[in-house]
Amino acid sequence: MNPFKADLHCHSTYSDGTFTPKQIIDLALEIDLKGLSITDHDTIAAYEEAIPYAKSRGIALITGAEFSAVQNETNIHILAYGFPFDSELIKEFSKIHAKRRLDRNRTILNKLNEKGMIITEDDLVISEKSGTIGRPHIAYALMKKGYVESIQQAFRLHIGEGKPCYVAGLKFGVEETIQLIHEAGGLAVIAHPHLISDPKALKTILEFDFDGIEAYYGRFSPQKNQRWIEIGNQKQWILTGGSDFHGEIKPNLPLGSSWVNEETFHRLEHRL
Ligand code: AMP
Ligand code: ZN
Ligand code: FE
Ligand code: FE
């Protein structure tokens, strides 16, 4: 019997992943994961399909989402776990995020169009699912239309932070996002702390009321995780882990490349 492993960070076609929730669950079973959380950007739309399918296939599933927040000018991703699937607070929050993204994406498209790169909202649909649309979709459309050679180049030249067609749009603070997750009965976890670009923002948010930190990430070596493990232990936070799987668009982040054991999985599942 293989040990219990649960991947707590992956994206489906309801945000910027290329696998449907069912395909993620099938793949998880193939690689012998026993637990999973699907953490789409700013939405829990995957769960309607994922919950019955996970049940029928016998894999443990806990609710999750990855919310976008901002500290000063720095983008911070916050993982939420273990809230009730039918939480009105989370549903409402997701709706506001969708509206925020719609407005922001339109402004980005206008800027691109002014520079001669003609992308319409219809070009941003990469799957038949209706879910979160963000800059990765815009980058993909720019590549498909031949305006850039790669997704990376789209960010580097046009839509990355500080680039000519970047638009921040409406922002949510880190503290208000943590508070909302707590009010919804969930746990708030700092996602991929190594990606937080500004050390000052990192220092500030490490003082906030988080419940956990994503100490194990993707294919990172034990040395690379060590800093976050130490910080998490010092704060008595839950140490979480996940692959940040996105399917084919990010082949260097395979499902199951980071995971948590059964004890950690159940701590996230039962808060109340
Ligand atoms: P959004 O939430 O719409 O602002 O898009 C943010 C997402 O874009 C992140 O979650 C990353 O997956 C992706 N992203 C951000 N910066 C880059 C970059 N330089 N190259 C490739 N992808 C990026
Ligand atoms: Zn993503
Ligand atoms: Fe993220
Ligand atoms: Fe992610």
Side-chain angles (χ1 to χ4, degrees):
M1 180 82 173
N2 288 320
F4 182 103
K5 289 184 181 181
D7 188 333
L8 295 178
H9 190 162
C10 64
H11 297 270
S12 80
T13 40
Y14 286 95
S15 61
D16 55 354
T18 61
F19 279 46
T20 65
K22 281 183 183 165
Q23 288 171 328
I24 293 176
I25 289 167
D26 288 341
L27 177 59
L29 287 159
E30 264 171 49
I31 60 173
D32 212 16
L33 292 176
K34 306 279 195 278
L36 197 65
S37 185
I38 299 175
T39 51
D40 278 313
H41 296 283
D42 304 324
T43 180
I44 56 165
Y47 281 89
E48 204 159 318
E49 168 182 333
I51 289 173
Y53 192 65
K55 206 173 255 177
S56 76
R57 300 250 17 221
I59 188 168
L61 186 71
I62 58 172
T63 50
E66 184 176 20
F67 287 111
S68 317
V70 174
Q71 177 63 38
N72 305 331
E73 295 301 307
T74 304
N75 290 320
I76 308 285
H77 285 179
I78 301 173
L79 291 160
Y81 293 113
F83 46 82
F85 159 65
D86 54 0
S87 164
E88 284 304 324
L89 270 176
I90 296 284
K91 276 194 226 166
E92 201 48 43
F93 195 43
S94 301
K95 263 193 217 160
I96 300 170
H97 268 288
K99 168 85 170 75
R100 164 185 81 79
R101 285 176 171 280
L102 187 68
D103 292 344
R104 187 192 68 153
N105 291 343
R106 283 182 181 156
T107 315
I108 294 177
L109 293 189
N110 284 339
K111 286 195 166 202
L112 289 168
N113 287 0
E114 277 167 23
K115 293 188 183 295
M117 291 171 275
I118 313 301
I119 308 276
T120 67
E121 280 175 57
D122 291 339
D123 297 324
L124 303 184
V125 181
I126 54 174
S127 81
E128 75 283 7
K129 311 278 178 194
S130 100
T132 298
I133 295 180
R135 284 183 290 153
H137 301 77
I138 298 175
Y140 188 70
L142 283 167
M143 185 176 74
K144 252 192 346 196
K145 292 223 160 173
Y147 294 121
V148 294
E149 276 162 23
S150 66
I151 288 179
Q152 289 296 334
Q153 195 186 44
F155 277 90
R156 204 166 56 239
L157 297 181
H158 305 300
I159 60 171
E161 273 168 66
K163 303 301 172 194
C165 299
Y166 177 70
V167 177
L170 180 68
K171 299 171 202 164
F172 285 101
V174 173
E175 282 183 295
E176 65 180 320
T177 302
I178 297 171
Q179 198 180 343
L180 182 128
I181 293 167
H182 285 164
E183 276 170 28
L187 293 162
V189 173
I190 304 177
H192 42 59
H194 66 285
L195 287 180
I196 298 172
S197 52
D198 176 14
K200 264 206 293 209
L202 174 65
K203 190 158 179 271
T204 305
I205 71 157
L206 284 175
E207 299 308 315
F208 292 167
D209 188 22
F210 282 104
D211 307 286
I213 185 165
E214 192 174 46
Y216 305 94
Y217 182 81
R219 288 198 287 213
F220 277 9
S221 64
Q223 296 96 292
K224 218 165 170 195
N225 294 327
Q226 199 51 38
R227 179 176 176 205
W228 313 114
I229 295 171
E230 277 168 22
I231 289 174
N233 281 336
Q234 195 191 337
K235 306 223 171 247
Q236 297 187 295
W237 283 345
I238 301 170
L239 305 181
T240 77
S243 60
D244 208 359
F245 175 72
H246 283 74
E248 284 112 12
I249 55 163
K250 294 188 181 180
N252 57 336
L253 296 170
L255 192 70
S257 50
S258 274
W259 45 271
V260 298
N261 64 17
E262 192 163 15
E263 189 203 333
T264 305
F265 188 75
H266 289 304
R267 277 180 80 187
L268 293 161
E269 189 174 32
H270 303 295
R271 177 184 168 80
L272 301 172

